[in-house]
């Protein structure tokens, strides 16, 4: 019966409390929303974001024309990474108070984080008019242009930001990254070297490591990648730099250890397995590369880079289905170029294959297996000079890869150049002294050369080699060995 009286009393008490708070928080007593805004500001400072939002929502019941209400609603949304909502609030605030010195910057950043890039540019342009020569405005402006892949324009904005404030280390770092994209490595190095001294963090040291890797300075790349990981053991891109440094130097053990360490530290991801697969391709271990690329795809079926890697590996076994799906859109990718070359060999288009493998080498000179592909293609074209030229380039770049020497030697034997084949096989033997394929071919070349230049010493040396092969495994030239033994007996019988 008296409940309505109690409700009115409670409302009066609430109103009394609100008025008291209003008197304490408000400076301009004629603006009733000011108390709510000031209360919300305190709550935000205390990280009570939900309560602050409730207070600001109440302020909107009083007036929808206070720009600061929308501004702080935007701030709460931005803190919660709700960038689209924040941008909507900031836009309303900006309409009500377009001269606010902060609002256009915040609006630009939220539009940037919402991937609304054209509107972000508009916001930063307006911010620059309201607060000219603001280093943060130029930094955000540059970040938007960077997202649009307008690297030269982005660099200019970052440089303006650093001209305004030499302590804007973010802008210095981003301008260096843009210079790397623009292949201005010397300018980038000046900036990254400066940051390494005055403001080292996991980001700047990683970028310095990446720059050193691009310049093939593997020692320094390793040093700064390790430093980045020391600062932050979860800096995954730094592990990728280390993995590439070691795989480019054919250090298999350290390559494996780097990727395994990343796994142990909880950094398992599709990107990790893709980079691991790339490392295996540098060792020409295509079976292991295939497993890593497939693992990456299993983790993320939309991961196109891993599919490109798998398309290349499949092409080496004559499977071009995935390549057909990807090649139209990714013609500038070195893996796709290499795979297309393999497809054209399969179709008998050898001249076209040659041009594609050369194009792949122009795209990435470190993709050295294409020298081997070129040698094999010129072999199909029966161009002896070019076949020899590219086999030589391949074994020069991959002097650790025994299969390269074997293939080269087989071809030299096929054209009757047994002396050069023997020289190549002896180099292969130094890599792997007990390789049956190498030793068999080495015996055959020795046998052939001995028959053209018969002498006691050479025959004994060839027979010693034959005996070694027989103790290790399958020996392919029993008849030739028997022939040499007969010749040796004949020579010794005449003495």
């Amino acid at each position: 019966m008296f409940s309505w009286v109690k409700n009115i009393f409670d409302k009066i008490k609430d109103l009394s409390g609100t008025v008291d708070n209003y008197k304490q928080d408000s400076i301009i007593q004629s603006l009733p929303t000011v108390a709510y805004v000031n209360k919300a500001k305190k709550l935000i400072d205390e990280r009570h974001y939900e309560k602050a939002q409730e207070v600001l929502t109440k302020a909107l019941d009083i007036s929808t024309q206070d720009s600061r209400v929308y501004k702080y609603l935007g701030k709460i949304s931005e803190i919660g990474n709700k960038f689209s909502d924040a941008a909507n609030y900031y836009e309303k605030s900006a309409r009500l108070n377009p001269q606010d010195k902060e609002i256009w910057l915040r609006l630009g950043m939220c539009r940037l984080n919402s991937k609304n890039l054209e509107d972000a540019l508009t916001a930063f342009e307006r911010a620059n008019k309201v607060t000219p020569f603001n280093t943060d405005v130029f930094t955000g402006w540059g970040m938007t242009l960077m997202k649009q892949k307008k690297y030269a324009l982005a660099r200019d904005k970052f440089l303006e930001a650093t001209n305004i404030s030499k302590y804007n280390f973010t802008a210095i770092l981003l301008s260096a990254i843009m210079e790397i994209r623009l292949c201005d490595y010397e300018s980038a190095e000046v900036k990254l070297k400066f940051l390494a001294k005055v403001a080292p963090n996991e980001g700047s040291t990683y970028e310095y490591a990446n720059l050193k890797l691009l310049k093939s300075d593997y020692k320094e790349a390793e040093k700064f990648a390790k430093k980045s990981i020391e600062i932050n053991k979860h800096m995954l891109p730094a592990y990728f730099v280390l993995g590439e440094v070691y795989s480019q130097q054919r250090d298999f053990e350290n390559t494996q250890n780097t990727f395994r360490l990343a796994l142990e530290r909880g950094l398992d991801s599709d990107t990790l397995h893709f980079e691991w697969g790339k490392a295996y391709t540098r060792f020409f271990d295509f079976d292991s590369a295939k497993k890593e690329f497939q693992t990456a795809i299993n983790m993320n079926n939309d991961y196109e880079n891993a599919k490109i890697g798998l398309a290349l590996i499949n092409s080496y076994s004559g499977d071009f289905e995935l390549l057909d799906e990807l090649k139209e859109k990714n013609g500038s990718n070195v893996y796709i170029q290499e795979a297309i070359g393999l497809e054209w060999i399969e179709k008998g288009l050898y001249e076209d294959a040659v041009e594609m493998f050369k194009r792949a080498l122009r795209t990435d000179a470190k993709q050295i297996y294409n020298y081997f592909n070129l040698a094999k293609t010129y072999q199909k074209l029966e161009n002896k000079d070019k076949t020899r030229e590219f086999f030589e380039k391949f074994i020069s770049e991959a002097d650790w890869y025994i299969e390269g020497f074997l293939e080269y030697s087989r071809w030299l034997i096929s054209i009757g150049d047994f002396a050069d084949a023997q020289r190549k096989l002896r180099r292969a033997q130094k890599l792997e002294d007990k390789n049956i394929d190498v030793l068999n071919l080495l015996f055959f070349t020795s046998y052939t050369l001995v028959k053209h230049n018969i002498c006691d010493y050479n025959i004994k040396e060839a027979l010693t080699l034959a005996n070694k092969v027989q103790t290790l495994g399958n020996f392919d030239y029993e008849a030739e060995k028997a022939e040499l033994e007969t010749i040796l007996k004949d020579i010794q019988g005449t003495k």
Side-chain angles (χ1 to χ4, degrees):
M1 174 177 176
F2 299 105
S3 60
W4 62 274
V5 176
K6 183 178 184 302
N7 287 338
I8 291 174
F9 180 70
D10 289 341
K11 286 181 180 178
I12 291 170
K13 286 201 301 179
D14 287 343
L15 178 60
S16 176
T18 301
V19 170
D20 289 341
N21 288 335
Y22 164 67
K23 287 179 179 177
Q24 291 172 14
D25 294 340
S26 177
I27 298 171
I28 307 173
Q29 300 290 317
S30 60
L31 295 176
T33 57
V34 171
Y36 288 94
V37 170
N38 288 342
K39 190 177 187 77
K41 282 169 65 178
K42 287 183 180 179
L43 289 168
I44 290 169
D45 290 340
E46 294 166 0
R47 299 185 180 181
H48 299 310
Y49 302 123
E50 288 185 13
K51 290 182 180 179
Q53 188 162 11
E54 289 174 8
V55 170
L56 291 168
T57 302
K58 289 179 182 178
L60 288 177
D61 293 337
I62 298 172
S63 172
T64 59
Q65 300 303 306
D66 189 329
S67 65
R68 295 182 308 156
V69 174
Y70 295 110
K71 179 176 179 177
Y72 287 104
L73 282 169
K75 186 170 185 176
I76 293 166
S77 294
E78 187 175 2
I79 290 168
N81 293 327
K82 297 177 181 177
F83 298 113
S84 183
D85 291 345
N88 290 334
Y89 284 127
Y90 286 143
E91 190 167 359
K92 290 177 182 178
S93 180
R95 282 200 207 106
L96 292 167
N97 182 14
Q99 297 306 311
D100 186 315
K101 291 186 177 181
E102 185 187 12
I103 198 69
W104 293 105
L105 171 61
R106 301 311 330 145
L107 177 57
M109 293 305 297
C110 287
R111 283 175 171 170
L112 170 60
N113 284 312
S114 303
K115 299 181 181 178
N116 187 354
L117 302 181
E118 288 300 328
D119 286 343
L121 286 178
T122 301
F124 288 122
E125 288 169 5
R126 188 65 182 270
N128 188 46
K129 291 178 180 176
V130 175
T131 54
F133 306 111
N134 183 302
T135 189
D136 293 328
V137 169
F138 280 104
T139 302
W141 203 341
M143 290 168 69
T144 307
L145 291 164
M146 180 175 70
K147 286 283 186 181
Q148 293 181 320
K149 298 186 178 180
K150 297 176 181 178
Y151 300 132
L153 292 174
R155 176 191 58 187
D156 292 344
K157 297 302 177 188
F158 294 136
L159 289 175
E160 287 187 66
T162 59
N163 287 336
I164 295 166
S165 171
K166 64 181 180 181
Y167 299 107
N168 188 338
F169 298 137
T170 299
I172 295 172
L173 175 59
L174 291 172
S175 63
I177 294 171
M178 292 302 94
E179 284 164 350
I180 291 172
R181 297 280 177 87
L182 295 165
C183 298
D184 186 357
Y185 295 157
E186 298 311 312
S187 295
E189 175 136 17
V190 170
K191 294 177 178 64
L192 292 171
K193 189 174 183 179
F194 166 75
L195 290 174
K197 288 181 178 179
V198 301
N201 58 40
E202 68 267 38
S204 61
T205 50
Y206 157 72
E207 290 296 344
Y208 204 7
N210 186 51
L211 175 61
K212 291 295 186 181
L213 175 61
L214 289 169
K215 297 174 76 172
S216 298
D217 186 346
Y218 296 129
K219 184 177 180 180
E220 288 294 291
E222 179 185 10
K223 171 185 168 183
F224 284 101
K226 285 182 173 179
K227 188 170 183 180
S228 178
I229 292 168
E230 284 172 12
I231 296 169
N232 180 0
K233 68 180 182 180
H234 295 120
M235 187 64 180
L236 184 57
Y239 292 89
F240 299 160
V241 169
L242 275 182
E244 185 167 349
V245 164
Y246 293 134
S247 58
Q248 290 288 4
Q249 297 180 102
R250 317 306 167 197
D251 185 342
F252 186 78
E253 184 178 357
N254 272 325
T255 301
Q256 289 286 78
N257 289 342
T258 296
F259 288 107
R260 285 172 180 163
L261 180 60
L263 283 178
E264 289 169 10
R265 290 178 171 176
L267 300 176
D268 193 11
S269 67
D270 52 357
T271 316
L272 175 67
H273 289 283
F274 169 64
E275 293 292 335
W276 206 339
K278 283 171 63 181
Y280 277 125
T281 64
R282 297 185 193 107
F283 291 104
F284 315 140
D285 184 351
F286 297 136
D287 289 339
S288 296
K290 183 172 184 173
K291 289 177 185 176
E292 295 302 329
F293 291 141
Q294 189 61 65
T295 300
I297 294 167
N298 292 343
M299 296 176 79
N300 178 4
N301 192 50
D302 296 323
Y303 193 11
E304 191 165 75
N305 283 339
K307 290 182 179 180
I308 288 170
L310 185 59
L312 171 61
I313 304 304
N314 288 349
S315 296
Y316 276 104
S317 58
D319 178 0
F320 303 105
E321 184 178 352
L322 191 53
L323 173 64
D324 290 338
E325 177 187 320
L326 296 165
K327 63 185 177 183
E328 183 176 349
K329 190 172 138 185
N330 299 282
S332 62
N333 183 284
V334 68
Y335 282 4
I336 294 296
Q337 292 165 356
E338 187 172 333
I340 290 171
L342 295 168
E343 183 181 33
W344 283 347
I345 289 177
E346 189 82 5
K347 292 179 177 179
L349 302 172
Y350 303 130
E351 296 285 0
D352 291 334
V354 163
E355 292 307 312
M356 188 53 71
F357 292 135
K358 287 181 178 178
R359 181 181 172 189
L361 282 165
R362 288 193 297 272
T363 300
D364 184 357
K366 294 177 181 177
Q367 196 69 6
I368 59 174
Y369 204 78
N370 286 303
Y371 289 124
F372 181 81
N373 290 331
L374 281 164
K376 297 294 286 183
T377 310
Y378 277 120
Q379 195 174 338
K380 297 277 189 184
L381 290 166
E382 299 182 357
N383 186 327
K384 292 181 182 179
D385 291 339
K386 287 294 182 181
T387 301
R388 189 185 296 270
E389 175 188 339
F390 284 102
F391 267 130
E392 287 291 339
K393 285 185 176 180
F394 182 63
I395 65 170
S396 173
E397 294 286 340
D399 58 0
W400 50 271
Y401 186 57
I402 202 162
E403 289 299 323
F405 288 101
L406 275 168
E407 281 299 307
Y408 192 3
S409 300
R410 291 185 184 110
W411 176 73
L412 289 167
I413 290 169
S414 74
I415 64 170
D417 192 345
F418 293 98
D420 201 13
Q422 186 183 60
R423 287 191 289 271
K424 300 301 183 287
L425 289 164
R426 282 175 176 162
R427 287 178 63 184
Q429 188 183 12
K430 289 179 181 178
L431 294 172
E432 197 173 320
D433 184 51
K434 296 180 180 180
N435 185 291
I436 295 297
D437 292 331
V438 170
L439 294 174
N440 265 304
L441 285 178
L442 190 55
F443 169 79
F444 181 68
T445 57
S446 299
Y447 155 80
T448 306
L449 292 168
V450 162
K451 287 193 67 179
H452 288 90
N453 184 21
I454 293 174
C455 77
D456 192 316
Y457 176 80
N458 289 342
I459 293 172
K460 287 180 179 178
E461 190 178 59
L463 289 172
T464 300
L465 182 59
N467 291 331
K468 180 177 181 178
V469 181
Q470 285 177 320
T471 61
L472 291 171
N474 295 329
F475 180 56
D476 299 335
Y477 299 101
E478 293 289 352
E480 288 80 357
K481 179 190 176 189
E483 184 181 351
L484 289 182
E485 288 172 336
T486 301
I487 294 171
L488 183 59
K489 286 178 183 178
D490 290 343
I491 292 172
Q492 290 175 338
T494 60
K495 288 183 180 179

